Amino acid sequence: PVERAIRSATAPGTRLRTPTGRGEFSIAEVDARGVVLLLGRTEVPVRLPWECFEGLGRFLNGAGWVRIGGRYETTGEPGTLDGYLKQYTGTATAGWVASLLEHAGVVEIDRGRPMRVRLRTEW
């Protein structure tokens, strides 16, 4: 279901804003293996597999609000979106992934401090 939502809402070249609104990133690829995000000013490519996105639905299901987190380290804080994503990449991607999921209608973002996400009620 998460893959279907992302595929219907995005395509290569889609540009999105980070949760803070200060940065932008784009989608480089949406293919059979997953999604490639282009992050930062230098557009560093980061691939996340569909397994990661589908697991996110299970990770967030019933959890209520979950902190986005976002350590610039190879390990994330357990229980945060960043901690979950660090299973798939050592790159800090939580804010970007939160924006992508919001764009796809999967989550809503609380932009207060600390920023948090939760599954939309229809999920």
Side-chain angles (χ1 to χ4, degrees), residues 3 6-7 10-12 27-36 50:
E3 177 181 353
I6 291 171
R7 283 183 178 275
T10 62
I27 309 299
E29 295 178 37
V30 180
D31 60 21
R33 296 185 304 161
V35 177
V36 177
W50 291 121

Side-chain angles (χ1 to χ4, degrees), residues 87-119:
Q87 298 174 74
Y88 297 93
T89 179
T91 304
T93 58
W96 293 282
V97 169
S99 289
L100 171 60
L101 293 173
E102 180 183 52
H103 178 75
V106 176
V107 302
E108 52 188 318
I109 298 175
D110 173 2
R111 287 176 168 78
R113 298 282 179 200
M115 284 193 266
R116 307 174 299 165
V117 295
R118 72 174 172 193
L119 279 179

